[in-house]
Every structure is written in structure tokens, then in C-alpha cells.
Amino acid sequence: GSIESAAKALALAQAVSASWPEDIHVSRFCCSLMSHDEATLGAMVEGAATRDREGFEAALEGLIRPDRVHRLWDATLALVAAELRAA
């Protein structure tokens, strides 16, 4: 990780907070299960990492208004790029 990665992660968290219809739900570690929100965030990062915009948008379909998807795409791409530079 790097300071840039941390800043991009914070920017993504802020974009998610502004776009998500409700508070994000995170499962307890002891449950060994991911919440729907965690799975969606994982699909977002995977889509951005593979430049799969259609898959990214499909993960958000029905959850996020279409006019907000571009902000999440940009923020997720920025985080992935920062992580790759830090590696």
C-alpha cells in the first residue's frame, strides 16, 4: 500500500457513501460470509481491474442509479491504478 492508495480508497469510500442507497453492510469476520454489499464492492474492483465496464455496471444494476455509476467507475479505476503502481 501507499499514501496514494489510501487516498484513492478514501475517495472510493466517499463515492460509495454518496451513491449507495443505504449504509453499507459488512459481515462479521466470524461469520465467514460476505454481505451483498461486500460482494458488490468486490465485483466493482474486479470489473475495474479487468477493464470490464459492462460487468462493473451489471454488478450495480438495480442498486445504484445509472447517473451515479460513472463516478464509482472512475473512483474504482483510480484505486486499482494506485494499487498497481504501489506493487
Side-chain angles (χ1 to χ4, degrees):
S2 68
I3 292 173
E4 181 190 16
S5 294
K8 298 301 182 186
L10 179 59
L12 176 58
Q14 290 169 339
V16 166
S17 178
S19 303
W20 232 247
E22 58 188 39
D23 291 339
I24 297 285
H25 296 283
V26 178
S27 295
R28 294 181 203 164
F29 179 74
C30 63
C31 296
S32 299
L33 299 172
M34 282 196 295
S35 70
H36 180 267
D37 291 334
E38 291 171 301
T40 301
L41 292 168
M44 288 168 55
V45 171
E46 183 176 344
T50 58
R51 302 262 185 205
D52 178 10
R53 179 74 184 249
E54 289 181 12
F56 182 91
E57 290 183 5
L60 296 171
E61 189 173 347
L63 177 67
I64 303 297
R65 292 188 346 217
D67 62 314
R68 296 181 176 186
V69 172
H70 72 279
R71 180 178 180 194
L72 293 171
W73 172 253
D74 291 344
T76 308
L77 278 178
L79 173 59
V80 168
E83 287 291 332
L84 290 172
R85 283 191 293 275

